[in-house]
Amino acid sequence: MAIGSGLGAQIGIAAETTYGTYVAPTFFPEFTKESLVLKKTTATSAGIAAGRLMALSSRRVITQREASGAIDLEVTNRGMGLLLQALMGTTVTPVQQGASAAYLQTHTLADTAGKSLTIQKGVPLTSGTVTDKTFVGCKVISAEFSCEAGGMLTATFEFDGKDCDESKTLAVASYTPMAPFNFMQMGVKTGTFGAETALDGVRKVSVKIERPQATDRFYANQSALKAEPISNDLVKVSGSLEMDYVATTIDDLHTSDGATSLVWEFIGPIIASTYAETIRFKLPSIKIDDAPPTVDGPGVVRPTFNFSGFYDGTNKVAIEYLSADVTL
C-alpha cells in the first residue's frame, strides 16, 4: 500500500507512436504539483413532457471528451528529454560526446505534429490504494521556466489531451537519481549570436514558450474524441529579466528597441571528461517590451524587463540538454 496522501502519488510519461494510442510509461518525473483532468461536454434534452418539472437523467448525454492540465516540476540533470521534445517539436537522438558518458540533446524549434505523450498519474485514496488515470494524446501547449536568486530552476508544462482512461494497470514507478539545476549554476549572456557575454546584475529569469494549436478538432466518426491538434498560430516566446540596475545594457535596448541574443544556461557538475551537466536556452533575438527603471524608494533600483522573442532570420530558438541520458 502507498501512503494515503499526495506523498503516494506518481506521474509516468511515454512518447506515443500514434496520437492518442496508449504507450506504457517509461519515465517517472519527480513533480511538485499536477492538475490533469478529464473534461466532458454534456447536453441535456429540453423536451417537454406533460407534468414533468425536471429533465430526466437518462436524457443527459456526453457529447465530447478531452483532457487538460499542467505539471509543475523542478528541472533536473536527468530525464527531461521527453518533455523538451514534446515542447520543441524536433525528433532528438542524444549524441555521445567523445567516448564519454555524456550525451547532448539539441531541441530546436519545429512543428509538434506527431509529438504526443501518454501521461499516467496515480492518485492515492486515503486507504493507500492508488487509483489510475491515464491521459492519452497529450500535446504540450506551453512551458514556462523560471529561476530566481536562491532557488531552483522550475518548469510548468501545460497540456491538451485526447482522453482519460481509468482501466489501465498503474505502472510501477522507478526513479533515477537526479539533481535539480539551481541558481548557483545559472548564467545569463546577451550580445551578438554566438558571441554573447555575461550580463551582470540578473536576479531572476523566466522564459515561456507557447505552442498555439487547434484543440477543437471534434469530428463525426470519432466517438466524441478530437483529432490531433494542429499548429494554428505563430509560436510565442516571452520572458522577463529581474535585475539590479548595475548597467544600462538592457535599458538601452528598451530605448532603441534593438535586438540582442539571449543565452540562459545552467552548468552543473562534470559528467565525464570536460562535459558538464547542462541545460541551455538559446533565444537568438529578443526585444525589450518594458519596463525602464523607476525609483520607488531608497533601496537598490531593481527593474524587471519583460521581453519578446523573435526569429533572427537564421538561427532557431533551441534548448540544449547535456546529461548522462543515453535515450530520451
Side-chain angles (χ1 to χ4, degrees), residues 191-328:
T192 303
F193 181 82
E196 300 88 350
T197 58
L199 179 64
D200 193 16
V202 178
R203 297 176 52 84
K204 181 180 179 180
V205 180
S206 68
V207 171
K208 185 173 185 179
I209 300 173
E210 299 176 66
R211 307 303 311 260
Q213 295 168 60
T215 60
D216 58 350
R217 299 182 64 212
F218 292 95
Y219 306 141
N221 307 313
Q222 297 288 340
S223 301
L225 303 177
K226 69 177 70 177
E228 180 177 1
I230 297 173
S231 296
N232 65 349
D233 203 348
L234 296 174
V235 175
K236 182 179 179 182
V237 178
S238 60
S240 63
L241 299 168
E242 180 184 309
M243 54 195 303
D244 286 354
Y245 195 49
V246 302
T248 64
T249 304
I250 302 301
D251 189 17
D252 290 344
L253 288 171
H254 173 262
T255 301
S256 67
D257 203 39
T260 186
S261 173
L262 173 67
V263 174
W264 180 33
E265 62 186 8
F266 295 79
I267 300 177
I270 294 293
I271 300 170
S273 183
T274 59
Y275 304 107
E277 299 167 351
T278 302
I279 187 166
R280 179 178 293 115
F281 303 84
K282 301 173 73 172
L283 310 183
S285 179
I286 67 166
K287 291 198 172 189
I288 307 302
D289 299 321
D290 56 38
T294 58
V295 179
D296 59 3
V300 173
V301 176
R302 186 167 290 166
T304 296
F305 294 96
N306 298 307
F307 63 80
S308 296
F310 298 91
Y311 179 44
D312 69 354
T314 302
N315 305 290
K316 295 181 179 181
V317 170
I319 302 175
E320 296 175 349
Y321 187 59
L322 185 59
S323 75
D325 292 337
V326 177
T327 64
L328 299 192

Side-chain angles (χ1 to χ4, degrees), residues 60-128:
R60 172 167 146 162
V61 293
I62 297 176
T63 58
Q64 291 178 174
R65 289 169 60 95
E66 57 186 319
S68 66
I71 297 175
D72 293 4
L73 72 168
E74 297 154 359
V75 179
T76 56
N77 61 346
R78 301 287 301 270
M80 296 300 300
L82 285 177
L83 290 171
L84 294 177
Q85 179 175 261
L87 166 66
M88 299 298 287
T90 302
T91 300
V92 173
T93 300
V95 177
Q96 186 177 20
Q97 303 300 288
S100 74
Y103 289 79
L104 176 64
Q105 301 174 26
T106 302
H107 300 267
T108 54
L109 194 65
D111 187 25
T112 60
K115 298 297 186 298
S116 61
L117 303 171
T118 292
I119 303 179
Q120 184 184 67
K121 70 174 183 178
V123 183
L125 299 171
T126 55
S127 64

Side-chain angles (χ1 to χ4, degrees), residues 13 21 26 30 48 59 96 116 118 133 141 167-168 198 228-229 237 277 291 297-299 319:
I13 299 175
T21 300
T26 55
E30 299 179 21
I48 296 172
R59 299 295 292 276
Q96 186 177 20
S116 61
T118 292
K133 296 182 184 295
I141 301 301
S167 66
K168 301 298 183 186
E228 180 177 1
V237 178
E277 299 167 351
I319 302 175

Side-chain angles (χ1 to χ4, degrees), residues 149-172:
M152 297 178 181
L153 174 61
T154 60
T156 298
F157 286 84
E158 183 182 2
F159 300 93
D160 174 84
K162 180 177 183 178
D163 197 13
C164 177
D165 183 350
E166 298 185 6
S167 66
K168 301 298 183 186
T169 299
L170 186 67
V172 177

